Amino acid sequence: MQTEARPTPRDDLAHYLRSYVQEMAFGDEDPDLVMDRYHTPDIAWLTDGLHLDRGRLIAHARPARRNVTACDLDVHDTLVCGDRVAARYTMTAVTRGRTVVTEIHMFGRLAPDGRLRRIDQLTRTPPATAQR
């Protein structure tokens, strides 16, 4: 059985953003495999100051798979320069019928193989009347 080759975050950052969310929230594949496809084992992921390591990120996938019924990413900007990446995107998730919109600014560092080894994110919930 031949598996489909997927681009790394270095190869296509927008594809990574969309694929990672879809695979972790809705995929049938083991979350460990999804995590390792895109991130190094020593991944350091900080969102609004909260540190998530590989184990906590994988544990986060289980409730997401139970509770999230839809998720869409609107990728506004991406930049890859050497071992650094940046992205600005909006995630709209539906959890148990409740829609949550989050604006995300992500900065990251890549490993030599193109996977992410560090992510720093700043998020905000836009006002309900905000125009995008």
Side-chain angles (χ1 to χ4, degrees), residues 105-123:
H105 294 83
M106 181 196 94
F107 306 91
R109 298 290 299 256
L110 297 168
D113 65 4
R115 294 182 298 161
L116 282 158
R117 75 166 13 135
R118 180 178 178 95
I119 294 174
D120 289 277
Q121 291 186 146
L122 300 171
T123 68

Side-chain angles (χ1 to χ4, degrees), residues 17-18 21-22 25-26 67-76 88-104 123-128 130 132:
L17 293 168
R18 291 183 189 102
V21 168
Q22 290 299 312
F26 304 109
N67 299 322
V68 177
T69 57
C71 189
D72 182 58
L73 262 68
D74 184 6
V75 179
H76 308 295
R88 185 176 63 86
Y89 60 99
T90 302
M91 180 168 48
T92 303
V94 179
T95 306
R96 298 181 182 181
R98 182 174 161 244
T99 301
V100 178
V101 178
T102 308
E103 293 179 352
I104 302 168
T123 68
R124 78 177 197 105
T125 303
R132 285 187 273 147

Side-chain angles (χ1 to χ4, degrees), residues 1-9 11-12 15 19 23 37-38:
M1 177 178 161
Q2 187 172 351
T3 59
E4 173 188 338
R6 294 179 177 100
T8 65
D11 299 330
D12 188 341
H15 181 271
S19 295
E23 292 173 32
R37 178 177 303 122
Y38 299 112

Side-chain angles (χ1 to χ4, degrees), residues 5-55:
R6 294 179 177 100
T8 65
R10 175 181 52 214
D11 299 330
D12 188 341
L13 188 59
H15 181 271
Y16 154 76
L17 293 168
R18 291 183 189 102
S19 295
Y20 176 69
V21 168
Q22 290 299 312
E23 292 173 32
M24 285 301 262
F26 304 109
D28 295 326
E29 195 172 24
D30 189 296
D32 292 64
L33 296 174
V34 176
M35 179 62 59
D36 293 342
R37 178 177 303 122
Y38 299 112
H39 309 96
T40 59
D42 61 343
I43 182 71
W45 190 311
L46 289 91
T47 299
D48 299 329
L50 176 66
H51 178 258
L52 301 170
D53 62 11
R54 182 180 182 280

